[in-house]
Amino acid sequence: MQTAPHLHRKRRSWIFRFFATMKAGLLLCVAAALFTVTVAQAPAPSPSLTTEVLNFALNLEYLEAEFYSCAATGQPLPADLRGGGPASTGCEKAILDAKTQAIAEELADNEIAHVTLLRTALGAEAVPIPQLNIGSAFAAAADAAAGMTLTPTFSPYLNSLFFLHGAFIFEDVGVTAYAGAAPLIATSSYLGDAARILAVEAYHAGIIRDELYQSIDVVTPYNITVGDLIDAIAALRNKVGAGSAEGLESTSGALTLVPTDAMGLVYTRTPAEVIAIVTLGASNGRGGFFPDGLNGALGAASQTATGG
């Protein structure tokens, strides 16, 4: 069995060496060629921009809802919430202990409700569910974080601990995405709903971080600890999609259940930065968990900015 080096969680040199030699296509430098929306550069919030932002959020909610529904029940989103979109690849029931099963079910219920809320708010303008990869994309993300092909192949459906790793990939990103997009929403009622969804996503992220922290010293089948693997995932997200969010510990070794800046505020990411993460750094906006890209204007802009 091929394994990564066995290191204590505070020895992160292998992570840094890997990121120092990452291919340029996986680095944030591709963002210069991607469609970029920032709070400072974006036009003033407007009804049309609000629709674009809500559809961008809907893509992310589709991804989370589909993953958690499959993991908790083995069943994807029902047809009436898919908008005529395609079936996902990789959907399966996760092997979970009783506590983690309960967590998966609650997260699934919340994310499915978010899909329903956003589709209702958008009405006829709601985009359909895009092509999603909730199977091999997890392995690709784990391999990229570790800097090698992991054996056995990583899957969040194998056990409770790996399910929590899979959830960690998504939850912090959802928080930063809503926080970054909020200033672009013009309608106060929609902004209020987005703030409440952000709060739920933050609850989810905190639950997942706490569960993982309780296993921080557990050695995974890859001969690295849970703490090291989570650090690597967080570092990959920061390199590909910008940000300063940490893993389970700060650089000083302190517990990091609530990753915040110096002012105690959650980190934010632009839509382009979020797209870079969920597509695993694809320069044309297509790849990773969204092999055909995200649906809607913001997703399309990221795909066409480089001729993709």
Side-chain angles (χ1 to χ4, degrees):
M1 180 178 76
Q2 185 180 17
T3 60
H6 179 49
L7 298 174
H8 188 273
R9 65 179 184 271
K10 294 182 180 177
R11 297 175 184 172
R12 301 180 173 89
S13 60
W14 68 276
I15 298 173
F16 298 134
R17 287 196 302 271
F18 165 58
F19 286 120
T21 57
M22 276 184 76
K23 291 182 178 180
L26 286 180
L27 294 174
L28 185 58
C29 64
V30 302
L34 287 171
F35 169 77
T36 303
V37 175
T38 67
V39 173
Q41 298 171 333
S46 66
S48 61
L49 183 58
T50 296
T51 297
E52 294 173 12
V53 170
L54 293 182
N55 268 320
F56 171 71
L58 179 57
N59 277 271
L60 302 180
E61 296 295 349
Y62 278 140
L63 175 62
E64 291 184 309
E66 187 85 338
F67 168 57
Y68 290 127
S69 179
C70 289
T73 70
Q75 298 297 316
L77 286 172
D80 63 336
L81 291 181
R82 306 185 75 84
S88 303
T89 60
C91 178
E92 61 179 288
K93 172 71 177 71
I95 301 171
L96 305 174
D97 58 40
K99 181 181 181 181
T100 312
Q101 176 67 32
I103 292 172
E105 289 175 1
E106 182 164 13
L107 267 58
D109 288 345
N110 290 164
E111 303 300 356
I112 292 170
H114 293 168
V115 169
T116 302
L117 173 65
L118 289 172
R119 285 185 55 82
T120 300
L122 286 160
E125 294 183 283
V127 296
I129 191 171
Q131 180 65 62
L132 298 176
N133 181 337
I134 52 171
S136 61
F138 282 103
D143 288 350
M148 63 186 297
T149 300
L150 296 175
T151 303
T153 300
F154 176 82
S155 170
Y157 306 108
L158 284 177
N159 54 55
S160 294
L161 189 58
F162 281 5
F163 165 79
L164 295 171
H165 281 72
F168 177 81
I169 292 174
F170 291 155
E171 289 305 330
D172 282 0
V173 177
V175 173
T176 59
Y178 274 100
L184 306 177
I185 299 176
T187 307
S188 59
S189 60
Y190 292 160
L191 180 58
D193 287 341
R196 295 169 74 183
I197 293 176
L198 188 159
V200 174
E201 299 293 347
Y203 274 121
H204 292 175
I207 291 168
I208 298 304
R209 280 177 170 269
D210 182 60
E211 289 295 309
L212 285 167
Y213 192 80
Q214 293 178 46
S215 301
I216 193 169
D217 290 318
V218 171
V219 178
T220 69
Y222 312 118
N223 277 349
I224 58 175
T225 65
V226 168
D228 277 334
L229 187 51
I230 291 299
D231 282 350
I233 293 171
L236 177 63
R237 287 191 313 215
N238 290 341
K239 285 290 185 179
V240 174
S244 302
E246 299 167 321
L248 298 178
E249 291 181 320
S250 69
T251 54
S252 66
L255 168 65
T256 306
L257 287 182
V258 187
T260 58
D261 65 16
M263 299 301 294
L265 302 176
V266 298
Y267 296 100
T268 64
R269 288 188 173 99
T270 68
E273 291 166 349
V274 172
I275 290 171
I277 293 172
V278 297
T279 61
L280 302 185
S283 60
N284 63 356
R286 300 173 184 172
F289 298 100
F290 291 88
D292 294 335
L294 283 70
N295 286 336
L298 297 182
S302 71
Q303 295 165 39
T304 58
T306 57

